Each structure stands twice: as C-alpha cells, then as structure tokens.
Amino acid sequence: MTETDKTAQDSRLSVDFSTADGVRIVALHGEIDHNSRGLLGEALLPSPDGETPRIVADLSDVTFMDSSGINILIVAHRAAEEAGGRLRLAAPQQTVLRVLQLVGVDTVIDCYPTVQQALDEVAG
C-alpha cells in the first residue's frame, strides 16, 4: 500500500513523499545543485524520531545533479546506516546515472533500475 504524505519544493527541485510497506519513498523532480541541497538533505536524512530509516530515493525525474547532490546522498546514506537503516537509489536517468558512476556513488549506495526493485530490496 502506498500513501502520499506531502510535497516540498524550492526553485529547481520539488520533492514528493510517500510510504509503501513502511518504506519512505522520496520522489525527486528537477535539478539537484547547490541551491537545492538543503531541501534534499531534509528529504533524505533520517528523522530524529528514532525510527529505523528505510528510504528509497526515486531519481527518475532528476534531470541534473552536481557535487552538492552527491555529497548529500553520501551523508544521508551514512546517517541511515548509523541509525540501522538503509538508503537506496532508484531509476536514475542516464545523465544522472553517469554522474553517480563517474564518482563511484553507485559502489557505495545501491542503485536499482526501478523503484519497485529498490523497494523489494529495502523492505526485505
């Protein structure tokens, strides 16, 4: 079951939040750069409520990502692991996937071709 929670946005990035089987899905839309790093951090970092974070970042509508986005992904991944949870990336467009591969993020954070594949792994 999927529930839509809320939406947040800045000038170049919008974020939709939903939940499926206890996994938080963060659907990102637009460009991830220096200007949107705060919103991205808020969206991906585990909440302080003590719950084990299980997060899938849906990158299918991300058209651009620079080093600011890469840094936030790594920080969020480490924070999720430290809290006993997981962050998984899903469905990046080819241009974004290429950036993830060039800097090696795909070897640190598991990246899946579809949101469903990421959900299946993180829920398991």
Side-chain angles (χ1 to χ4, degrees):
M1 173 178 228
T2 301
E3 299 175 17
T4 299
D5 295 330
K6 61 181 177 176
T7 300
Q9 71 181 59
D10 72 5
S11 62
R12 294 185 182 162
L13 181 70
S14 66
V15 183
D16 294 319
F17 300 93
S18 60
T19 305
D21 298 322
V23 177
R24 185 173 171 199
I25 302 167
V26 180
L28 304 162
H29 313 278
E31 299 180 1
I32 298 173
D33 60 16
H34 177 77
N35 294 322
S36 59
R37 69 180 180 194
L39 178 60
L40 182 64
E42 289 174 21
L44 293 180
L45 289 171
S47 62
D49 62 10
E51 280 189 42
T52 301
R54 295 184 306 152
I55 304 165
V56 170
D58 177 357
L59 303 176
S60 61
D61 285 337
V62 174
T63 56
F64 173 82
M65 181 183 301
D66 71 4
S67 61
S68 299
I70 298 296
N71 290 333
I72 295 294
L73 290 177
I74 292 169
V75 167
H77 170 69
R78 288 182 181 156
E81 283 193 333
E82 288 172 6
R86 298 177 234 181
L87 168 66
R88 299 298 183 253
L89 307 178
Q93 293 185 22
Q94 191 60 38
T95 54
V96 173
L97 179 60
R98 183 74 178 130
V99 170
L100 296 173
Q101 292 170 334
L102 282 171
V103 297
V105 169
D106 64 322
T107 65
V108 176
I109 306 171
D110 291 338
C111 188
Y112 296 87
T114 69
V115 171
Q116 188 58 55
Q117 287 172 317
L119 281 170
D120 291 345
E121 192 281 332
V122 81

mmCIF file with all atom_site columns, all heavy atoms in Angstrom, residues 30-55:
data_model
loop_
_atom_site.group_PDB
_atom_site.id
_atom_site.type_symbol
_atom_site.label_atom_id
_atom_site.label_alt_id
_atom_site.label_comp_id
_atom_site.label_asym_id
_atom_site.label_entity_id
_atom_site.label_seq_id
_atom_site.pdbx_PDB_ins_code
_atom_site.Cartn_x
_atom_site.Cartn_y
_atom_site.Cartn_z
_atom_site.occupancy
_atom_site.B_iso_or_equiv
_atom_site.pdbx_formal_charge
_atom_site.auth_seq_id
_atom_site.auth_comp_id
_atom_site.auth_asym_id
_atom_site.auth_atom_id
_atom_site.pdbx_PDB_model_num
ATOM 1   N N   . GLY A 1 30 ? 13.398 17.461 -10.877 1.00 0.00 ? 30 GLY A N   1
ATOM 2   C CA  . GLY A 1 30 ? 14.105 18.675 -11.263 1.00 0.00 ? 30 GLY A CA  1
ATOM 3   C C   . GLY A 1 30 ? 15.600 18.552 -11.145 1.00 0.00 ? 30 GLY A C   1
ATOM 4   O O   . GLY A 1 30 ? 16.182 17.503 -11.433 1.00 0.00 ? 30 GLY A O   1
ATOM 5   N N   . GLU A 1 31 ? 16.239 19.634 -10.708 1.00 0.00 ? 31 GLU A N   1
ATOM 6   C CA  . GLU A 1 31 ? 17.689 19.730 -10.658 1.00 0.00 ? 31 GLU A CA  1
ATOM 7   C C   . GLU A 1 31 ? 18.186 19.729 -9.224  1.00 0.00 ? 31 GLU A C   1
ATOM 8   O O   . GLU A 1 31 ? 17.642 20.423 -8.370  1.00 0.00 ? 31 GLU A O   1
ATOM 9   C CB  . GLU A 1 31 ? 18.151 21.014 -11.350 1.00 0.00 ? 31 GLU A CB  1
ATOM 10  C CG  . GLU A 1 31 ? 17.775 21.067 -12.817 1.00 0.00 ? 31 GLU A CG  1
ATOM 11  C CD  . GLU A 1 31 ? 18.240 22.335 -13.503 1.00 0.00 ? 31 GLU A CD  1
ATOM 12  O OE1 . GLU A 1 31 ? 18.892 23.191 -12.846 1.00 0.00 ? 31 GLU A OE1 1
ATOM 13  O OE2 . GLU A 1 31 ? 17.953 22.479 -14.699 1.00 0.00 ? 31 GLU A OE2 1
ATOM 14  N N   . ILE A 1 32 ? 19.237 18.941 -9.004  1.00 0.00 ? 32 ILE A N   1
ATOM 15  C CA  . ILE A 1 32 ? 19.871 18.890 -7.690  1.00 0.00 ? 32 ILE A CA  1
ATOM 16  C C   . ILE A 1 32 ? 21.209 19.597 -7.813  1.00 0.00 ? 32 ILE A C   1
ATOM 17  O O   . ILE A 1 32 ? 22.116 19.109 -8.488  1.00 0.00 ? 32 ILE A O   1
ATOM 18  C CB  . ILE A 1 32 ? 20.050 17.442 -7.220  1.00 0.00 ? 32 ILE A CB  1
ATOM 19  C CG1 . ILE A 1 32 ? 18.688 16.762 -7.075  1.00 0.00 ? 32 ILE A CG1 1
ATOM 20  C CG2 . ILE A 1 32 ? 20.831 17.411 -5.911  1.00 0.00 ? 32 ILE A CG2 1
ATOM 21  C CD1 . ILE A 1 32 ? 18.765 15.281 -6.770  1.00 0.00 ? 32 ILE A CD1 1
ATOM 22  N N   . ASP A 1 33 ? 21.290 20.752 -7.162  1.00 0.00 ? 33 ASP A N   1
ATOM 23  C CA  . ASP A 1 33 ? 22.517 21.535 -7.205  1.00 0.00 ? 33 ASP A CA  1
ATOM 24  C C   . ASP A 1 33 ? 22.693 22.256 -5.874  1.00 0.00 ? 33 ASP A C   1
ATOM 25  O O   . ASP A 1 33 ? 21.994 21.959 -4.901  1.00 0.00 ? 33 ASP A O   1
ATOM 26  C CB  . ASP A 1 33 ? 22.507 22.514 -8.380  1.00 0.00 ? 33 ASP A CB  1
ATOM 27  C CG  . ASP A 1 33 ? 21.356 23.508 -8.335  1.00 0.00 ? 33 ASP A CG  1
ATOM 28  O OD1 . ASP A 1 33 ? 20.713 23.668 -7.264  1.00 0.00 ? 33 ASP A OD1 1
ATOM 29  O OD2 . ASP A 1 33 ? 21.078 24.139 -9.370  1.00 0.00 ? 33 ASP A OD2 1
ATOM 30  N N   . HIS A 1 34 ? 23.634 23.183 -5.837  1.00 0.00 ? 34 HIS A N   1
ATOM 31  C CA  . HIS A 1 34 ? 23.947 23.932 -4.614  1.00 0.00 ? 34 HIS A CA  1
ATOM 32  C C   . HIS A 1 34 ? 22.692 24.570 -4.001  1.00 0.00 ? 34 HIS A C   1
ATOM 33  O O   . HIS A 1 34 ? 22.526 24.574 -2.785  1.00 0.00 ? 34 HIS A O   1
ATOM 34  C CB  . HIS A 1 34 ? 25.004 24.994 -4.931  1.00 0.00 ? 34 HIS A CB  1
ATOM 35  C CG  . HIS A 1 34 ? 25.338 25.867 -3.781  1.00 0.00 ? 34 HIS A CG  1
ATOM 36  N ND1 . HIS A 1 34 ? 26.154 25.449 -2.755  1.00 0.00 ? 34 HIS A ND1 1
ATOM 37  C CD2 . HIS A 1 34 ? 24.949 27.131 -3.466  1.00 0.00 ? 34 HIS A CD2 1
ATOM 38  C CE1 . HIS A 1 34 ? 26.247 26.414 -1.858  1.00 0.00 ? 34 HIS A CE1 1
ATOM 39  N NE2 . HIS A 1 34 ? 25.538 27.452 -2.274  1.00 0.00 ? 34 HIS A NE2 1
ATOM 40  N N   . ASN A 1 35 ? 21.821 25.092 -4.831  1.00 0.00 ? 35 ASN A N   1
ATOM 41  C CA  . ASN A 1 35 ? 20.629 25.784 -4.343  1.00 0.00 ? 35 ASN A CA  1
ATOM 42  C C   . ASN A 1 35 ? 19.600 24.841 -3.714  1.00 0.00 ? 35 ASN A C   1
ATOM 43  O O   . ASN A 1 35 ? 18.793 25.273 -2.898  1.00 0.00 ? 35 ASN A O   1
ATOM 44  C CB  . ASN A 1 35 ? 19.967 26.564 -5.475  1.00 0.00 ? 35 ASN A CB  1
ATOM 45  C CG  . ASN A 1 35 ? 20.832 27.690 -5.966  1.00 0.00 ? 35 ASN A CG  1
ATOM 46  O OD1 . ASN A 1 35 ? 21.506 28.351 -5.187  1.00 0.00 ? 35 ASN A OD1 1
ATOM 47  N ND2 . ASN A 1 35 ? 20.865 27.895 -7.268  1.00 0.00 ? 35 ASN A ND2 1
ATOM 48  N N   . SER A 1 36 ? 19.610 23.586 -4.106  1.00 0.00 ? 36 SER A N   1
ATOM 49  C CA  . SER A 1 36 ? 18.595 22.660 -3.601  1.00 0.00 ? 36 SER A CA  1
ATOM 50  C C   . SER A 1 36 ? 19.127 21.687 -2.553  1.00 0.00 ? 36 SER A C   1
ATOM 51  O O   . SER A 1 36 ? 18.405 20.813 -2.087  1.00 0.00 ? 36 SER A O   1
ATOM 52  C CB  . SER A 1 36 ? 17.985 21.866 -4.766  1.00 0.00 ? 36 SER A CB  1
ATOM 53  O OG  . SER A 1 36 ? 18.968 21.141 -5.454  1.00 0.00 ? 36 SER A OG  1
ATOM 54  N N   . ARG A 1 37 ? 20.365 21.845 -2.141  1.00 0.00 ? 37 ARG A N   1
ATOM 55  C CA  . ARG A 1 37 ? 20.954 20.875 -1.212  1.00 0.00 ? 37 ARG A CA  1
ATOM 56  C C   . ARG A 1 37 ? 20.246 20.841 0.140   1.00 0.00 ? 37 ARG A C   1
ATOM 57  O O   . ARG A 1 37 ? 20.133 19.784 0.743   1.00 0.00 ? 37 ARG A O   1
ATOM 58  C CB  . ARG A 1 37 ? 22.445 21.126 -1.052  1.00 0.00 ? 37 ARG A CB  1
ATOM 59  C CG  . ARG A 1 37 ? 22.758 22.395 -0.323  1.00 0.00 ? 37 ARG A CG  1
ATOM 60  C CD  . ARG A 1 37 ? 24.233 22.607 -0.188  1.00 0.00 ? 37 ARG A CD  1
ATOM 61  N NE  . ARG A 1 37 ? 24.391 23.870 0.529   1.00 0.00 ? 37 ARG A NE  1
ATOM 62  C CZ  . ARG A 1 37 ? 25.490 24.531 0.613   1.00 0.00 ? 37 ARG A CZ  1
ATOM 63  N NH1 . ARG A 1 37 ? 26.557 24.068 0.024   1.00 0.00 ? 37 ARG A NH1 1
ATOM 64  N NH2 . ARG A 1 37 ? 25.545 25.654 1.266   1.00 0.00 ? 37 ARG A NH2 1
ATOM 65  N N   . GLY A 1 38 ? 19.768 21.977 0.619   1.00 0.00 ? 38 GLY A N   1
ATOM 66  C CA  . GLY A 1 38 ? 19.051 21.994 1.893   1.00 0.00 ? 38 GLY A CA  1
ATOM 67  C C   . GLY A 1 38 ? 17.778 21.175 1.835   1.00 0.00 ? 38 GLY A C   1
ATOM 68  O O   . GLY A 1 38 ? 17.498 20.362 2.726   1.00 0.00 ? 38 GLY A O   1
ATOM 69  N N   . LEU A 1 39 ? 17.001 21.369 0.796   1.00 0.00 ? 39 LEU A N   1
ATOM 70  C CA  . LEU A 1 39 ? 15.762 20.611 0.615   1.00 0.00 ? 39 LEU A CA  1
ATOM 71  C C   . LEU A 1 39 ? 16.061 19.128 0.462   1.00 0.00 ? 39 LEU A C   1
ATOM 72  O O   . LEU A 1 39 ? 15.382 18.283 1.055   1.00 0.00 ? 39 LEU A O   1
ATOM 73  C CB  . LEU A 1 39 ? 15.003 21.131 -0.599  1.00 0.00 ? 39 LEU A CB  1
ATOM 74  C CG  . LEU A 1 39 ? 13.700 20.417 -0.951  1.00 0.00 ? 39 LEU A CG  1
ATOM 75  C CD1 . LEU A 1 39 ? 12.701 20.485 0.191   1.00 0.00 ? 39 LEU A CD1 1
ATOM 76  C CD2 . LEU A 1 39 ? 13.110 21.009 -2.221  1.00 0.00 ? 39 LEU A CD2 1
ATOM 77  N N   . LEU A 1 40 ? 17.090 18.793 -0.297  1.00 0.00 ? 40 LEU A N   1
ATOM 78  C CA  . LEU A 1 40 ? 17.459 17.395 -0.488  1.00 0.00 ? 40 LEU A CA  1
ATOM 79  C C   . LEU A 1 40 ? 17.884 16.762 0.837   1.00 0.00 ? 40 LEU A C   1
ATOM 80  O O   . LEU A 1 40 ? 17.469 15.643 1.156   1.00 0.00 ? 40 LEU A O   1
ATOM 81  C CB  . LEU A 1 40 ? 18.593 17.281 -1.518  1.00 0.00 ? 40 LEU A CB  1
ATOM 82  C CG  . LEU A 1 40 ? 19.046 15.862 -1.840  1.00 0.00 ? 40 LEU A CG  1
ATOM 83  C CD1 . LEU A 1 40 ? 17.919 15.061 -2.490  1.00 0.00 ? 40 LEU A CD1 1
ATOM 84  C CD2 . LEU A 1 40 ? 20.269 15.904 -2.743  1.00 0.00 ? 40 LEU A CD2 1
ATOM 85  N N   . GLY A 1 41 ? 18.668 17.472 1.610   1.00 0.00 ? 41 GLY A N   1
ATOM 86  C CA  . GLY A 1 41 ? 19.086 16.965 2.918   1.00 0.00 ? 41 GLY A CA  1
ATOM 87  C C   . GLY A 1 41 ? 17.902 16.717 3.838   1.00 0.00 ? 41 GLY A C   1
ATOM 88  O O   . GLY A 1 41 ? 17.811 15.673 4.486   1.00 0.00 ? 41 GLY A O   1
ATOM 89  N N   . GLU A 1 42 ? 16.994 17.655 3.881   1.00 0.00 ? 42 GLU A N   1
ATOM 90  C CA  . GLU A 1 42 ? 15.792 17.494 4.713   1.00 0.00 ? 42 GLU A CA  1
ATOM 91  C C   . GLU A 1 42 ? 14.979 16.281 4.271   1.00 0.00 ? 42 GLU A C   1
ATOM 92  O O   . GLU A 1 42 ? 14.403 15.576 5.087   1.00 0.00 ? 42 GLU A O   1
ATOM 93  C CB  . GLU A 1 42 ? 14.918 18.738 4.632   1.00 0.00 ? 42 GLU A CB  1
ATOM 94  C CG  . GLU A 1 42 ? 15.490 19.947 5.332   1.00 0.00 ? 42 GLU A CG  1
ATOM 95  C CD  . GLU A 1 42 ? 14.647 21.192 5.084   1.00 0.00 ? 42 GLU A CD  1
ATOM 96  O OE1 . GLU A 1 42 ? 13.450 21.067 4.723   1.00 0.00 ? 42 GLU A OE1 1
ATOM 97  O OE2 . GLU A 1 42 ? 15.187 22.294 5.236   1.00 0.00 ? 42 GLU A OE2 1
ATOM 98  N N   . ALA A 1 43 ? 14.935 16.057 2.973   1.00 0.00 ? 43 ALA A N   1
ATOM 99  C CA  . ALA A 1 43 ? 14.136 14.962 2.436   1.00 0.00 ? 43 ALA A CA  1
ATOM 100 C C   . ALA A 1 43 ? 14.755 13.598 2.708   1.00 0.00 ? 43 ALA A C   1
ATOM 101 O O   . ALA A 1 43 ? 14.032 12.625 2.932   1.00 0.00 ? 43 ALA A O   1
ATOM 102 C CB  . ALA A 1 43 ? 13.948 15.145 0.929   1.00 0.00 ? 43 ALA A CB  1
ATOM 103 N N   . LEU A 1 44 ? 16.083 13.510 2.691   1.00 0.00 ? 44 LEU A N   1
ATOM 104 C CA  . LEU A 1 44 ? 16.733 12.205 2.761   1.00 0.00 ? 44 LEU A CA  1
ATOM 105 C C   . LEU A 1 44 ? 17.313 11.837 4.119   1.00 0.00 ? 44 LEU A C   1
ATOM 106 O O   . LEU A 1 44 ? 17.496 10.656 4.395   1.00 0.00 ? 44 LEU A O   1
ATOM 107 C CB  . LEU A 1 44 ? 17.844 12.116 1.711   1.00 0.00 ? 44 LEU A CB  1
ATOM 108 C CG  . LEU A 1 44 ? 17.389 12.130 0.260   1.00 0.00 ? 44 LEU A CG  1
ATOM 109 C CD1 . LEU A 1 44 ? 18.591 12.044 -0.665  1.00 0.00 ? 44 LEU A CD1 1
ATOM 110 C CD2 . LEU A 1 44 ? 16.412 11.002 -0.031  1.00 0.00 ? 44 LEU A CD2 1
ATOM 111 N N   . LEU A 1 45 ? 17.627 12.816 4.931   1.00 0.00 ? 45 LEU A N   1
ATOM 112 C CA  . LEU A 1 45 ? 18.218 12.488 6.222   1.00 0.00 ? 45 LEU A CA  1
ATOM 113 C C   . LEU A 1 45 ? 17.168 11.860 7.134   1.00 0.00 ? 45 LEU A C   1
ATOM 114 O O   . LEU A 1 45 ? 16.005 12.259 7.125   1.00 0.00 ? 45 LEU A O   1
ATOM 115 C CB  . LEU A 1 45 ? 18.823 13.725 6.868   1.00 0.00 ? 45 LEU A CB  1
ATOM 116 C CG  . LEU A 1 45 ? 20.088 14.231 6.180   1.00 0.00 ? 45 LEU A CG  1
ATOM 117 C CD1 . LEU A 1 45 ? 20.499 15.586 6.733   1.00 0.00 ? 45 LEU A CD1 1
ATOM 118 C CD2 . LEU A 1 45 ? 21.220 13.223 6.332   1.00 0.00 ? 45 LEU A CD2 1
ATOM 119 N N   . PRO A 1 46 ? 17.579 10.865 7.916   1.00 0.00 ? 46 PRO A N   1
ATOM 120 C CA  . PRO A 1 46 ? 16.623 10.214 8.819   1.00 0.00 ? 46 PRO A CA  1
ATOM 121 C C   . PRO A 1 46 ? 16.021 11.212 9.802   1.00 0.00 ? 46 PRO A C   1
ATOM 122 O O   . PRO A 1 46 ? 16.688 12.148 10.240  1.00 0.00 ? 46 PRO A O   1
ATOM 123 C CB  . PRO A 1 46 ? 17.481 9.184  9.567   1.00 0.00 ? 46 PRO A CB  1
ATOM 124 C CG  . PRO A 1 46 ? 18.689 8.989  8.724   1.00 0.00 ? 46 PRO A CG  1
ATOM 125 C CD  . PRO A 1 46 ? 18.914 10.286 7.991   1.00 0.00 ? 46 PRO A CD  1
ATOM 126 N N   . SER A 1 47 ? 14.767 10.986 10.136  1.00 0.00 ? 47 SER A N   1
ATOM 127 C CA  . SER A 1 47 ? 14.110 11.862 11.103  1.00 0.00 ? 47 SER A CA  1
ATOM 128 C C   . SER A 1 47 ? 14.613 11.520 12.501  1.00 0.00 ? 47 SER A C   1
ATOM 129 O O   . SER A 1 47 ? 15.019 10.390 12.766  1.00 0.00 ? 47 SER A O   1
ATOM 130 C CB  . SER A 1 47 ? 12.596 11.709 11.012  1.00 0.00 ? 47 SER A CB  1
ATOM 131 O OG  . SER A 1 47 ? 12.229 10.388 11.329  1.00 0.00 ? 47 SER A OG  1
ATOM 132 N N   . PRO A 1 48 ? 14.588 12.482 13.397  1.00 0.00 ? 48 PRO A N   1
ATOM 133 C CA  . PRO A 1 48 ? 15.111 12.260 14.746  1.00 0.00 ? 48 PRO A CA  1
ATOM 134 C C   . PRO A 1 48 ? 14.154 11.480 15.655  1.00 0.00 ? 48 PRO A C   1
ATOM 135 O O   . PRO A 1 48 ? 14.397 11.373 16.839  1.00 0.00 ? 48 PRO A O   1
ATOM 136 C CB  . PRO A 1 48 ? 15.327 13.679 15.267  1.00 0.00 ? 48 PRO A CB  1
ATOM 137 C CG  . PRO A 1 48 ? 14.346 14.515 14.522  1.00 0.00 ? 48 PRO A CG  1
ATOM 138 C CD  . PRO A 1 48 ? 14.196 13.870 13.172  1.00 0.00 ? 48 PRO A CD  1
ATOM 139 N N   . ASP A 1 49 ? 13.088 10.904 15.104  1.00 0.00 ? 49 ASP A N   1
ATOM 140 C CA  . ASP A 1 49 ? 12.095 10.214 15.922  1.00 0.00 ? 49 ASP A CA  1
ATOM 141 C C   . ASP A 1 49 ? 12.537 8.835  16.394  1.00 0.00 ? 49 ASP A C   1
ATOM 142 O O   . ASP A 1 49 ? 11.813 8.160  17.120  1.00 0.00 ? 49 ASP A O   1
ATOM 143 C CB  . ASP A 1 49 ? 10.759 10.106 15.177  1.00 0.00 ? 49 ASP A CB  1
ATOM 144 C CG  . ASP A 1 49 ? 10.859 9.301  13.893  1.00 0.00 ? 49 ASP A CG  1
ATOM 145 O OD1 . ASP A 1 49 ? 11.904 8.661  13.652  1.00 0.00 ? 49 ASP A OD1 1
ATOM 146 O OD2 . ASP A 1 49 ? 9.886  9.310  13.125  1.00 0.00 ? 49 ASP A OD2 1
ATOM 147 N N   . GLY A 1 50 ? 13.718 8.383  15.971  1.00 0.00 ? 50 GLY A N   1
ATOM 148 C CA  . GLY A 1 50 ? 14.237 7.108  16.427  1.00 0.00 ? 50 GLY A CA  1
ATOM 149 C C   . GLY A 1 50 ? 13.834 5.913  15.584  1.00 0.00 ? 50 GLY A C   1
ATOM 150 O O   . GLY A 1 50 ? 14.280 4.807  15.835  1.00 0.00 ? 50 GLY A O   1
ATOM 151 N N   . GLU A 1 51 ? 12.987 6.113  14.589  1.00 0.00 ? 51 GLU A N   1
ATOM 152 C CA  . GLU A 1 51 ? 12.611 5.012  13.715  1.00 0.00 ? 51 GLU A CA  1
ATOM 153 C C   . GLU A 1 51 ? 13.791 4.605  12.849  1.00 0.00 ? 51 GLU A C   1
ATOM 154 O O   . GLU A 1 51 ? 14.607 5.444  12.480  1.00 0.00 ? 51 GLU A O   1
ATOM 155 C CB  . GLU A 1 51 ? 11.458 5.421  12.786  1.00 0.00 ? 51 GLU A CB  1
ATOM 156 C CG  . GLU A 1 51 ? 10.111 5.384  13.437  1.00 0.00 ? 51 GLU A CG  1
ATOM 157 C CD  . GLU A 1 51 ? 8.997  5.572  12.415  1.00 0.00 ? 51 GLU A CD  1
ATOM 158 O OE1 . GLU A 1 51 ? 9.078  4.976  11.320  1.00 0.00 ? 51 GLU A OE1 1
ATOM 159 O OE2 . GLU A 1 51 ? 8.073  6.328  12.726  1.00 0.00 ? 51 GLU A OE2 1
ATOM 160 N N   . THR A 1 52 ? 13.860 3.322  12.524  1.00 0.00 ? 52 THR A N   1
ATOM 161 C CA  . THR A 1 52 ? 14.894 2.849  11.613  1.00 0.00 ? 52 THR A CA  1
ATOM 162 C C   . THR A 1 52 ? 14.544 3.336  10.213  1.00 0.00 ? 52 THR A C   1
ATOM 163 O O   . THR A 1 52 ? 13.493 2.982  9.683   1.00 0.00 ? 52 THR A O   1
ATOM 164 C CB  . THR A 1 52 ? 14.972 1.316  11.627  1.00 0.00 ? 52 THR A CB  1
ATOM 165 O OG1 . THR A 1 52 ? 15.250 0.889  12.962  1.00 0.00 ? 52 THR A OG1 1
ATOM 166 C CG2 . THR A 1 52 ? 16.054 0.812  10.695  1.00 0.00 ? 52 THR A CG2 1
ATOM 167 N N   . PRO A 1 53 ? 15.405 4.151  9.623   1.00 0.00 ? 53 PRO A N   1
ATOM 168 C CA  . PRO A 1 53 ? 15.079 4.716  8.306   1.00 0.00 ? 53 PRO A CA  1
ATOM 169 C C   . PRO A 1 53 ? 15.254 3.687  7.183   1.00 0.00 ? 53 PRO A C   1
ATOM 170 O O   . PRO A 1 53 ? 16.297 3.061  7.057   1.00 0.00 ? 53 PRO A O   1
ATOM 171 C CB  . PRO A 1 53 ? 16.077 5.862  8.156   1.00 0.00 ? 53 PRO A CB  1
ATOM 172 C CG  . PRO A 1 53 ? 17.234 5.463  9.017   1.00 0.00 ? 53 PRO A CG  1
ATOM 173 C CD  . PRO A 1 53 ? 16.657 4.654  10.143  1.00 0.00 ? 53 PRO A CD  1
ATOM 174 N N   . ARG A 1 54 ? 14.213 3.521  6.422   1.00 0.00 ? 54 ARG A N   1
ATOM 175 C CA  . ARG A 1 54 ? 14.260 2.724  5.196   1.00 0.00 ? 54 ARG A CA  1
ATOM 176 C C   . ARG A 1 54 ? 13.741 3.652  4.109   1.00 0.00 ? 54 ARG A C   1
ATOM 177 O O   . ARG A 1 54 ? 12.557 3.972  4.083   1.00 0.00 ? 54 ARG A O   1
ATOM 178 C CB  . ARG A 1 54 ? 13.417 1.458  5.321   1.00 0.00 ? 54 ARG A CB  1
ATOM 179 C CG  . ARG A 1 54 ? 13.982 0.516  6.381   1.00 0.00 ? 54 ARG A CG  1
ATOM 180 C CD  . ARG A 1 54 ? 13.241 -0.786 6.480   1.00 0.00 ? 54 ARG A CD  1
ATOM 181 N NE  . ARG A 1 54 ? 11.818 -0.555 6.689   1.00 0.00 ? 54 ARG A NE  1
ATOM 182 C CZ  . ARG A 1 54 ? 10.865 -1.401 6.295   1.00 0.00 ? 54 ARG A CZ  1
ATOM 183 N NH1 . ARG A 1 54 ? 11.165 -2.509 5.665   1.00 0.00 ? 54 ARG A NH1 1
ATOM 184 N NH2 . ARG A 1 54 ? 9.600  -1.129 6.521   1.00 0.00 ? 54 ARG A NH2 1
ATOM 185 N N   . ILE A 1 55 ? 14.659 4.098  3.243   1.00 0.00 ? 55 ILE A N   1
ATOM 186 C CA  . ILE A 1 55 ? 14.350 5.166  2.288   1.00 0.00 ? 55 ILE A CA  1
ATOM 187 C C   . ILE A 1 55 ? 14.747 4.747  0.881   1.00 0.00 ? 55 ILE A C   1
ATOM 188 O O   . ILE A 1 55 ? 15.842 4.221  0.668   1.00 0.00 ? 55 ILE A O   1
ATOM 189 C CB  . ILE A 1 55 ? 15.106 6.461  2.665   1.00 0.00 ? 55 ILE A CB  1
ATOM 190 C CG1 . ILE A 1 55 ? 14.783 6.890  4.105   1.00 0.00 ? 55 ILE A CG1 1
ATOM 191 C CG2 . ILE A 1 55 ? 14.806 7.578  1.672   1.00 0.00 ? 55 ILE A CG2 1
ATOM 192 C CD1 . ILE A 1 55 ? 15.731 7.924  4.662   1.00 0.00 ? 55 ILE A CD1 1
#
